[in-house]
Amino acid sequence: MDIFRIEGPVRLSGAVNISGSKNASLPIMAAAILAAGKSVIKAVPQLSDISVFSQLLGQLGCELTRSTPLSAVADSKGGDLCIDSKVVDNPVGEYEIVRRMRASICILGPLLARCGRAEVSMPGGCAIGDRPIDIHLRGLRELGAKIHLKNGYIVAEAPHGLTGCDIFMGGPFGSTVLGTANVLMASTLARGKTIIESAACEPEIVDLANCLTRMGAKINGIGSPQLIVEGVKQLQPVEYQVIPDRIEAGTFMVAAAITAGQLRLVNCRLNDMMAVVDRLRNIGVTVETAKGGCVVAREGPVKPADITTQPFPGFPTDLQAQFMALLSLAEGNSIVIEKVFPDRFMHIAELNRMAANLRKEGPVVIVAGVNRLVAAPVMASDLRASAALVLAGLVAEGTTVVNRIYHIDRGYEKIEKKLNMVGAKISRESDESMTAEFISQISERVEK
Ligand code: EPZ
């Protein structure tokens, strides 16, 4: 377990390359199960979540190899991941892996379609709130799977294959991203036509659908809430490049904004980020398109703004924490409403330790703007909360120590290197020094 030691305040300036999308890579890696043979997925970021998912595919019987061409290292675009799924003879998602990464659930649909059977450990609790998978299971049942729970494992069976039908995928918080991915993948090999209503429209689902189409799937309505899938007998392995990571891009946009700096983001698709760009402009940040990406800068004050997270094309929940760090420094009060994961607020207490003024009332947070943030030792609780703490550390006066940064390594490729290249002062250190320092700071506080 490493820590980040961040010296602030800094003003960022320069160019940052955005990596391939983690949340597009994971379901696309699962899709490789559907077609026996070697698929090559390009621009897959080097992240611990990708390593865990690779291990999972390995346990199923796939062979995975990574090759990172020099150009990919230079421009931070990850590398090629070759998945040979000729053999998938152990259709079991073990508890040991699923408990480390909930996204493991997206092997369920492809395994069922390919093997007629799947056992996947039921995902448990999560730092960002309740994350049921009832809609995934409902969709797969409607395709004809028999599903029961045994010793904490979901056992799904369809020995005679799946059959297309009309499926409604909406839930209490709107559409489901990985639920749509699971049912979409399963339906590509089902008999007949499947209509998925209230499908997720996130760019990562569009990317998955485009990849499946390249594999030979017949999908209409890609990018809309109604996906129409004509089942085919088999799919072919594919060579496919994943889209840039819109959440990493959004995080660097906030980095430029919070430090009153200027960043050019390379390999960034603004069309995937209209709600984010709209909020940034509202806050007083300029965002302009540039070749292959955009330039983001702030000169004036941070203006207060209201943000409501929603499924795509609304404002993404995965950028809520980072924007909260930015709005902490606004000249006035902002309101943030979380409508996707109403309990995703673990960062509030930590940001308040850095002198932010955040008050939570259910899924609503009142952000009273303050003049400055102050460095403190803080604890990362989940991936995006950690990113918010790093962003706050860039402008906080003094040395911020972010503990448990393994969370950030799950989803941000070389984040401290990328930030340091544009003016940040972040060092990665081992936990022992942190423990000693943390203990001494705590005992100092206790003594005082
Ligand atoms: C995906 O999670 C992402 N993960 C999350 O990113 C992201 O926050 C989330 O979508 C929302 O955009 C990956 O792509 C790997 P959902 P997912 O099913 O698919 C409820 C990150 O930081 N729901 O769209 O698991 C659910 O509780 C991560 O990179 C049900 O009620 O999220 C939530 O309120 C974290 N029943 C809402 O739907 C279900 O069966 C949306 O969740 C499924 C979901």
Side-chain angles (χ1 to χ4, degrees), residues 105-106 135-136 140 169 176-184 196 205:
I105 192 65
C106 69
I135 305 170
H136 301 228
L140 294 173
M169 295 285 296
T176 154
V177 176
L178 290 179
T180 302
N182 249 330
V183 172
L184 173 63
I196 306 174
I205 292 297

Side-chain angles (χ1 to χ4, degrees), residues 161-234:
L162 298 164
T163 308
C165 63
D166 292 6
I167 303 172
F168 177 70
M169 295 285 296
F173 300 97
S175 52
T176 154
V177 176
L178 290 179
T180 302
N182 249 330
V183 172
L184 173 63
M185 287 190 275
S187 66
T188 57
L189 292 177
R191 272 183 302 273
K193 187 200 278 187
T194 300
I195 300 181
I196 306 174
E197 296 284 2
S198 199
C201 303
E202 269 67 6
E204 294 76 17
I205 292 297
V206 172
D207 210 28
L208 170 66
N210 286 338
C211 175
L212 289 166
T213 304
R214 287 267 289 278
M215 294 169 78
K218 294 205 160 50
I219 307 171
N220 274 311
I222 296 175
S224 83
Q226 187 192 59
L227 293 172
I228 303 171
V229 187
E230 283 290 346
V232 295
K233 286 224 155 56
Q234 67 176 38

Side-chain angles (χ1 to χ4, degrees), residues 37 51 142 325 364 396:
S51 310
E142 289 190 33
V364 178

